Amino acid sequence: MADTLKKLKKSLSLKLSFQAGTNCPRPSGSNCPRPSCSDRSHSSGSSSRGLSRSLSFQTSKSSKKTCPICLGSLRRGQGVAIFTAECSHSFHFCCIAANVQHGNRICPICRCEWKDVPFQAPGSVIDARRNNMARARVSHFNAAPEDASAPGARRNVPTTFQLPAEPEQFTDDEQLSVNSIGPASPSRAQALAVKAFPEFGAVAAAECPPKFAVLLRVCAPSLPNDADRAPIDLVTVLDVSGSMSSKLPLLKRAVHFIIQNLGSADRLSIVIFSSVARRIFPLQRMTDSGRENAIRAINTLSSNGGTNIVEGLKKGARVLEERRERSPVASIILLSDGQDTHNVLRNSYTQDEASSIPSNELAYLNLLPSSICLSKREAGQPTFPVHTFGFGLEHDSEAMHAIADASGGTFSFIETLSILQDAFARCIGGLLSVVSQDVKLTIRSKSAGVRIGSIPSGRYNTEFLDEGQQAVIDIGNLYADEEKEFMVYLSIPVSSAEGEQRPECTALLDVFCTHKDSASMEIHQVEGEKVEIRRPEVLSTADKKVNLQVDRQRSRLLVAETIADAQRMAEVGDLESAQALLAERRSGLLSSAAAQAGDVLCNWLEAELREIRERMASMDLYERTGRAYLLSGLSSHSWQRATTRGDTTQILATNGDRGHSGSIDSTRSYETPWMTTMVTRSQTLNFTSGEQQSQANK
């Protein structure tokens, strides 16, 4: 029996040695080393000794020292890269990369399905500058890049990617697309319109109202789906601190959606931050190869460390400041789920300023670079809006709101993780549809004695000239179909002439708007409607009816003012007074002429007041969700631009017929058609993924 066992050992030892030395299955083109003589001797010896132990132990020990694919040595320090999978089995990198190139994500040893697989870059890289792309177009919708771990997903999605070294200067941006800027459609160039609505159609000749309201509305042109648009330079600044661990899969998917919906002339850069900040992807055009590289960079994200929002913002701003070429539109998207743990908050404001601004907001205004802070910019210096997204219930909503407010961006509150992609979709739906830039609305008194008293314009800068004879509102960029409304309060003199000398009408204002077409970069001036009122001796019943457009805008301004006042009360713990103030404004809103006429915007404003009041039921609830919800609403009202708040309120999209009542599902205040379309794409993608998940679970 002993002799038989000895012969069996010898036979098996020779067989293993022969296989290791002559029959190594090697992938074509592989650079894996063949086993040396010493390797074969070691393998033979190990096999012989292993027969005196259990077979499972022999297999485990052998697999740790040899590549299961080519049976070559896995000793480190021999100049050959080694890949260790999540199941702890190791392989030569080139062997396993060739193995997964065809979609195989199963471990050859334990048959475990891998989530992370190696990716081997091609030997040559195509020069992106040879891709003479035409003018930027909005890409037709394709499903977002698949989540490699999702059921039914392709198994060849690359997730391992070597990040490039970060240069000292970010002057490595990819060259702009040829012909990305050209002549715009003539119909679009002149389509921006300015409309005017006096509060009343007539004022008695003997009256001199000190605060007569005129509503001015600036309407941006439409942008058809197949029309050329201005390309964008977009920088995403993403929080990858330790608290983001459970949220990274949804973040990656949401950024995948952004990548997939950028056009081939749009450029994207990715900055991440935890305790430190790093640019992991340079400013590159989103061609097919650009998208693939961006997705690989996003798939490398992992969470660790603290939260350094300021450093992330500084690096993101540098990407846009130091780029060699500039697209017509540039913006930054910032996402964070926590408090900044690396910056000491100090104030340099006066006591009067500090009394009306939260301390965190003051500190962040001091820390922001001048290129993303409107109040710090020098003459001729470009500024970049930062659209901030507070993720979850632990983020610093005051700081995120302050950053957005100071830069000209918006603040969105991502209350539930499932709406992150929709929130990004709403934001880029606007950014990808910028049709007019440097928009300025100029208002001039038309008659002697008519003075411009005030213009509550939110965060838009308003300059008054010639002792109330003229005012200029700096609107900046307009999205396609976007509308901005401004209430102008005038003092009107009496009509002193009598008899046949008394004019029938008083001209109030001359209004015109200048803007730059974002695609052609041509400057245009658009004349507004003539603004005048009749001056009869006695007013008729019809003359005394307020214009519903003006009444609605007045209600919106009062609601926004009330929300700001309630927020200040809540911050000092006076929730009871804050709730009483909100309830009082709600009653006044419901009794307004516009609300009585069934105006949809008034219905939404009433629902907003009710929602904020409910989130002030306790200090704990206010600090968890109420503050962020409220600040996101103030951001939306201040810029008259859509934000995401995670609510389910049915409200009116500002485009369309403002005179009809009723509710429109799945819209947000100030939402444009492009935003709605992009959100629909996101929701369709999520629904499709959910259906695939359900089918896979059956």
Side-chain angles (χ1 to χ4, degrees):
M1 183 69 180
D3 293 339
T4 303
L5 180 59
K6 186 181 294 184
K7 291 180 180 180
L8 178 61
K9 289 181 179 180
K10 184 176 181 179
S11 175
L12 183 57
S13 175
L14 290 174
K15 183 177 180 181
L16 289 173
S17 177
F18 177 79
Q19 287 179 339
T22 62
N23 294 335
C24 291
R26 293 163 51 85
S28 61
S30 171
N31 295 322
C32 293
R34 288 189 179 274
S36 63
C37 294
S38 60
D39 293 332
R40 290 195 295 269
S41 299
H42 176 78
S43 177
S44 175
S46 298
S47 301
S48 177
R49 290 190 301 271
L51 287 175
S52 62
R53 305 177 185 180
S54 68
L55 181 61
S56 61
F57 178 80
Q58 186 273 336
T59 303
S60 174
K61 185 173 182 180
S62 177
S63 65
K64 290 183 179 179
K65 294 189 176 182
T66 61
C67 174
I69 296 179
C70 70
L71 300 182
S73 172
L74 285 177
R75 289 180 180 177
R76 300 185 182 277
Q78 295 185 342
V80 180
I82 297 173
F83 173 79
T84 301
E86 57 211 71
C87 59
S88 79
H89 294 122
S90 299
F91 311 83
H92 288 131
F93 184 90
C94 52
C95 292
I96 199 63
N99 191 53
V100 304
Q101 186 176 3
H102 303 290
N104 186 5
R105 298 169 58 89
I106 304 299
C107 176
I109 298 177
C110 66
R111 311 308 294 171
C112 170
E113 183 177 358
W114 294 336
K115 295 180 180 178
D116 297 318
V117 297
F119 169 76
Q120 191 166 27
S124 60
V125 178
I126 299 175
D127 187 354
R129 290 175 295 181
R130 297 180 182 177
N131 297 331
N132 294 324
M133 305 304 296
R135 299 170 64 180
R137 293 181 181 270
V138 175
S139 59
H140 296 292
F141 173 64
N142 295 310
E146 291 179 324
D147 183 349
S149 62
R154 293 190 301 270
R155 297 306 179 187
N156 61 345
V157 179
T159 57
T160 301
F161 179 69
Q162 186 174 3
L163 297 175
E166 186 177 277
E168 292 185 4
Q169 295 288 323
F170 297 142
T171 56
D172 54 350
D173 54 299
E174 185 176 359
Q175 183 178 359
L176 291 176
S177 172
V178 178
N179 298 325
S180 62
I181 301 175
S185 168
S187 60
R188 196 186 96 186
Q190 300 297 331
L192 190 147
V194 181
K195 300 180 180 180
F197 305 90
E199 183 177 8
F200 299 99
V203 172
E207 294 181 359
C208 53
K211 201 173 181 180
F212 184 86
V214 176
L215 174 65
L216 300 179
R217 180 184 297 161
V218 180
C219 310
S222 298
L223 184 65
N225 290 334
D226 59 348
D228 291 342
R229 62 169 175 84
I232 183 176
D233 287 344
L234 180 63
V235 180
T236 59
V237 180
L238 309 174
D239 185 347
V240 292
S241 60
S243 59
M244 284 290 294
S245 176
S246 62
K247 305 163 190 172
L248 275 185
L250 284 173
L251 174 60
K252 291 179 182 181
R253 183 174 180 83
V255 179
H256 284 181
F257 180 84
I258 293 178
I259 294 169
Q260 192 66 27
N261 283 278
L262 292 177
S264 59
D266 299 316
R267 301 191 299 180
L268 175 70
S269 179
I270 302 170
V271 172
I272 61 173
F273 67 91
S274 52
S275 297
V276 296
R278 181 182 179 188
R279 191 205 67 173
I280 66 169
F281 188 72
L283 198 60
Q284 287 190 8
R285 293 197 353 247
M286 289 296 97
T287 58
D288 290 342
S289 60
R291 288 194 186 98
E292 291 177 4
N293 291 333
I295 291 170
R296 289 168 187 155
I298 285 295
N299 287 345
T300 67
L301 297 187
S302 60
S303 60
N304 61 77
T307 304
N308 198 332
I309 297 174
V310 172
E311 285 305 308
L313 270 178
K314 288 180 177 178
K315 190 146 291 187
R318 280 185 54 207
V319 172
L320 295 178
E321 292 169 354
E322 298 173 6
R323 57 191 166 150
R324 295 171 301 172
E325 300 188 38
R326 298 173 183 268
S327 293
V329 182
S331 190
I332 297 173
I333 286 178
L334 167 67
L335 179 136
S336 177
D337 75 332
Q339 309 273 335
D340 196 315
T341 59
H342 283 72
N343 294 280
V344 178
L345 306 181
R346 295 187 177 92
N347 298 336
S348 63
Y349 286 78
T350 66
Q351 185 174 358
D352 290 341
E353 290 173 324
S355 64
S356 61
I357 306 176
S359 59
N360 284 359
E361 182 172 334
L362 289 168
Y364 270 90
L365 292 180
N366 278 332
L367 296 172
L368 291 178
S370 59
S371 62
I372 55 174
C373 187
L374 297 175
S375 62
K376 292 183 179 181
R377 67 174 176 179
E378 300 175 357
Q381 180 188 20
T383 56
F384 314 115
V386 181
H387 299 278
T388 62
F389 295 81
F391 200 6
L393 305 182
E394 302 297 329
H395 73 277
D396 189 341
S397 57
E398 286 182 312
M400 298 293 276
H401 174 260
I403 292 168
D405 208 40
S407 66
T410 55
F411 164 57
S412 290
F413 170 37
I414 313 302
E415 184 174 6
T416 57
L417 306 185
S418 60
I419 67 170
L420 175 60
Q421 182 172 297
D422 291 351
F424 278 0
R426 181 171 289 107
C427 181
I428 66 170
L431 296 176
L432 296 181
S433 63
V434 174
V435 291
S436 299
Q437 296 179 286
D438 300 332
V439 180
K440 294 183 184 296
L441 183 63
T442 301
I443 308 155
R444 291 176 181 165
S445 171
K446 183 66 173 176
S447 299
V450 175
R451 295 287 186 272
I452 302 172
S454 62
I455 304 176
S457 55
R459 289 292 297 163
Y460 292 105
N461 182 59
T462 302
E463 183 179 8
F464 294 90
L465 306 169
D466 302 330
E467 298 181 349
Q469 293 290 310
Q470 180 174 321
V472 180
I473 306 174
D474 188 354
I475 300 175
N477 292 353
L478 281 178
Y479 301 156
D481 293 297
E482 193 172 34
E483 298 179 356
K484 305 294 182 185
E485 294 186 335
F486 302 99
M487 194 83 85
V488 181
Y489 290 104
L490 308 172
S491 61
I492 301 176
V494 298
S495 182
S496 57
E498 298 181 357
E500 296 181 357
Q501 298 297 325
R502 181 175 57 79
E504 294 183 0
C505 297
T506 297
L508 299 180
L509 299 172
D510 267 341
V511 182
F512 64 91
C513 186
T514 59
H515 69 102
K516 178 174 64 179
D517 186 278
S518 60
S520 68
M521 309 304 286
E522 297 175 351
I523 305 296
H524 301 278
Q525 179 170 311
V526 179
E527 298 293 334
E529 296 177 344
K530 188 176 182 179
V531 185
E532 63 179 18
I533 55 173
R534 294 180 296 104
R535 303 303 300 269
E537 291 185 4
V538 179
L539 297 177
S540 65
T541 302
D543 292 335
K544 296 178 182 179
K545 288 186 177 180
V546 66
N547 185 290
L548 295 183
Q549 306 286 344
V550 175
D551 189 67
R552 172 173 49 190
Q553 177 67 5
R554 180 185 285 114
S555 293
R556 187 191 72 82
L557 292 172
L558 290 173
V559 166
E561 181 181 340
T562 299
I563 293 173
D565 291 340
Q567 192 249 349
R568 283 188 284 269
M569 294 176 181
E571 292 300 328
V572 296
D574 191 0
L575 292 180
E576 184 177 351
S577 297
Q579 288 185 311
L581 186 65
L582 293 169
E584 181 182 356
R585 175 52 55 203
R586 178 174 174 269
S587 298
L589 171 67
L590 293 176
S591 63
S592 67
Q596 292 292 314
D599 183 80
V600 182
L601 180 59
C602 289
N603 293 339
W604 171 74
L605 292 171
E606 185 272 332
E608 182 182 26
L609 290 171
R610 186 174 63 250
E611 178 75 16
I612 293 175
R613 191 165 179 263
E614 291 175 358
R615 291 177 186 256
M616 288 183 174
S618 68
M619 202 63 197
D620 178 66
L621 181 59
Y622 174 73
E623 290 179 345
R624 284 193 298 113
T625 69
R627 178 186 291 119
Y629 183 91
L630 185 150
L631 289 175
S632 182
L634 286 179
S635 176
S636 183
H637 284 302
S638 296
W639 297 107
Q640 298 185 54
R641 185 156 281 172
T643 62
T644 299
R645 280 183 273 174
D647 59 27
T648 56
T649 308
Q650 295 181 347
I651 56 177
L652 175 70
T654 53
N655 58 293
D657 190 348
R658 294 170 173 262
H660 291 294
S661 61
S663 63
I664 303 176
D665 294 341
S666 303
T667 61
R668 295 291 185 269
S669 181
Y670 311 111
E671 188 163 290
T672 67
W674 269 74
M675 293 179 183
T676 302
T677 298
M678 198 64 71
V679 172
T680 301
R681 291 180 181 181
S682 171
Q683 293 174 346
T684 301
L685 178 62
N686 288 335
F687 177 78
T688 303
S689 299
E691 287 290 298
Q692 292 176 349
Q693 180 74 42
S694 299
Q695 293 295 329
N697 293 335
K698 289 182 180 180

